[in-house]
Amino acid sequence: MTTADRADAGASGGPVPFLHGVRVVEFCSVAAGPFAGMLLADMGADVIKVEHPGGGDSMRSWPPLSDGYSENFASLNRSKRSVALDLKDPAQRDAARELVAGADVVVENNRPGVMERLGLGHEELRAADPRLVYCSISAFGQTGPRSGEGGFDLTLQAMSGIMSVTGEPGGDPVKCGVPLSDFTTGLYAAFAVAAALRARAESGRGAHVDAAMFGCSLAVAALQTSEFFGRGSDPVKLGSAHPRNAPYQAFRCADGHVAMAAGNDGLWQRVCTAVDRPDLATDERFASTALRAAHQETLREALESGFADRTVADLLAAFRAGGVPCAPINTYSQALADPQVGHMGWVQPVTLPNGHETRTFVSPLRIDGRPVTGHRPPPGLGEHTDEVLRGADRVAL
């Protein structure tokens, strides 16, 4: 596809066609793998999801269920086609191999060794097609002392240290409410697949991508790992505060909390002006970012003493007028109702395979000023088995 073709496709309101003509076969369930597959579908790839006919991806049973269809599953599987195959049945396993033979990418998130036992491992498939990009997502990676262990987002957040720095000081272990380990791994995997496809265009050779949830969870913790490497001590829980910056947290006020981030000396001076505290601006304990971080508990108390009779709306108005980054502590209903969400078109209606009308959050990206549009609904289990296995042409998304 030429640059002009891409421009025309984008102008017509279709999906971003960067991966147009790329076929991905996904052998994944739950979150990390399906999320990676969906990101590739958002970029125009034809993603074929292979599921067991006896229930499919286990996330299909996760609530909320709308007339029996999981909206959780729907949120991670838009724009895919579903093929139902029992990979333990020799004939159906052969059908899966035929499906892969016509593919550019395989994404799987089984325990290491499972795909090999099924005759669908990366070495065997890449021997048949050296151009194949094969992505394996697992808890700990394809090799090493923990490679045979399984894991879910909770256990990987615990294992990687995330839970040790999440929550209030002295509190019980708390996981990040968003499945951080799942989705960061999915992002790494999709990025690596796209990069491998780009390299293949030059070299003619595919690649095996090994995306470990443990490693990806540690990799995004640069703030914490650098603190350990630099100081030799473990990072600790700070609630909403920052280990090296202040004021940079949620502050209590008369009717709730306000998040405020004064990430440099200039912004700190603006805070002092916005809340009419010139005494804090000249206090030597708060004269630099490092000093404010070292005395941040004292700083928090000083600020909150002046916030006690001010409302969330009042403080937000004052900070915004002064150019200080700030925000309310939104619920998801409040966040999704924000006018910026509506402006960007991030929430769109979708009809589930059972006919139920609902809404979903689509790709947040804009390319050349245009939203990534043209999403297709998530599939019913095995909805596309016949059209795919009878050799239908690659779908034009």
Side-chain angles (χ1 to χ4, degrees):
M1 176 175 284
T2 67
T3 301
D5 290 334
R6 289 191 178 93
D8 290 343
S12 67
V16 174
F18 297 136
L19 297 179
H20 177 81
V22 171
R23 173 170 286 183
V24 178
V25 181
E26 176 196 304
F27 298 92
C28 298
S29 61
V30 190
F35 184 53
M38 186 177 71
L39 295 179
L40 297 172
D42 283 346
M43 293 295 106
D46 173 18
V47 179
I48 299 170
K49 184 179 182 74
V50 177
E51 305 182 73
H52 192 280
D57 184 336
S58 59
M59 189 168 274
R60 286 186 179 274
S61 64
W62 287 27
L65 300 175
S66 294
D67 297 330
Y69 196 95
S70 170
E71 298 215 15
N72 201 339
F73 173 86
S75 71
L76 293 173
N77 289 280
R78 63 173 172 261
S79 299
K80 298 178 185 179
R81 297 194 284 173
S82 173
V83 170
L85 292 172
D86 180 357
L87 298 179
K88 293 183 179 180
D89 177 271
Q92 295 185 55
R93 187 165 58 245
D94 287 344
R97 288 179 61 86
E98 286 297 318
L99 190 57
V100 170
D104 301 282
V105 177
V106 166
V107 181
E108 60 93 7
N109 67 345
N110 298 279
R111 285 201 195 196
V114 169
M115 294 295 278
E116 282 74 14
R117 289 194 293 273
L118 293 170
L120 296 167
H122 76 94
E123 290 185 357
E124 186 170 349
L125 294 183
R126 289 187 63 213
D129 180 8
R131 290 177 55 82
L132 182 67
V133 174
Y134 192 109
C135 178
S136 299
I137 297 172
S138 63
F140 294 99
Q142 299 301 295
T143 62
R146 294 194 183 276
S147 61
E149 298 180 25
F152 284 91
D153 181 82
L154 168 66
T155 58
L156 270 301
Q157 285 199 36
M159 189 77 178
S160 64
I162 292 172
M163 290 177 65
S164 76
V165 295
T166 305
E168 294 297 327
D172 290 338
V174 176
K175 74 176 180 66
C176 177
V178 174
L180 189 66
S181 294
D182 275 331
F183 292 115
T184 55
T185 306
L187 282 165
Y188 269 107
F191 172 76
V193 166
L197 288 169
R198 176 67 181 86
R200 188 186 73 174
E202 299 291 331
S203 69
R205 297 188 303 274
H208 181 211
V209 175
D210 181 359
M213 293 174 67
F214 187 39
C216 293
S217 300
L218 282 164
V220 296
L223 183 68
Q224 286 74 29
T225 57
S226 62
E227 181 174 350
F228 173 72
F229 294 144
R231 296 179 176 172
S233 58
D234 277 318
V236 298
K237 297 178 182 180
L238 294 172
S240 63
H242 193 288
R244 304 172 207 172
N245 219 330
Y248 195 101
Q249 65 183 98
F251 293 91
R252 185 183 298 278
C253 60
D255 60 347
H257 291 81
V258 171
M260 182 264 287
N264 56 51
D265 291 337
L267 287 172
W268 165 237
Q269 293 299 316
R270 293 185 186 186
V271 169
C272 296
T273 300
V275 298
D276 194 23
R277 292 295 303 269
D279 58 310
L280 297 180
T282 57
D283 192 315
E284 291 185 358
R285 295 172 297 175
F286 311 138
S288 69
T289 299
L291 287 169
R292 289 192 296 276
H295 297 95
Q296 62 177 291
E297 184 61 23
T298 302
L299 177 58
R300 180 189 64 79
E301 292 174 355
L303 288 171
E304 287 189 340
S305 67
F307 295 169
D309 59 353
R310 302 185 68 169
T311 65
V312 169
D314 176 34
L315 285 171
L316 289 175
F319 289 140
R320 286 168 178 163
V324 177
C326 61
I329 311 298
N330 278 341
T331 63
Y332 272 94
S333 62
Q334 292 169 326
L336 292 168
D338 191 274
Q340 186 67 20
V341 174
H343 169 78
M344 299 296 281
W346 288 332
V347 174
Q348 293 293 323
V350 63
T351 303
L352 301 179
N354 60 6
H356 181 85
E357 300 286 342
T358 187
R359 295 181 298 162
T360 192
F361 197 96
V362 298
S363 173
L365 300 177
R366 286 198 169 205
I367 309 294
D368 291 333
R370 302 185 185 92
V372 177
T373 60
H375 306 294
R376 295 189 300 142
L381 175 59
E383 178 182 347
H384 306 94
T385 302
D386 289 342
E387 75 174 39
V388 170
L389 296 186
R390 72 168 178 256
D393 291 336
R394 298 190 178 194
V395 65
L397 297 178

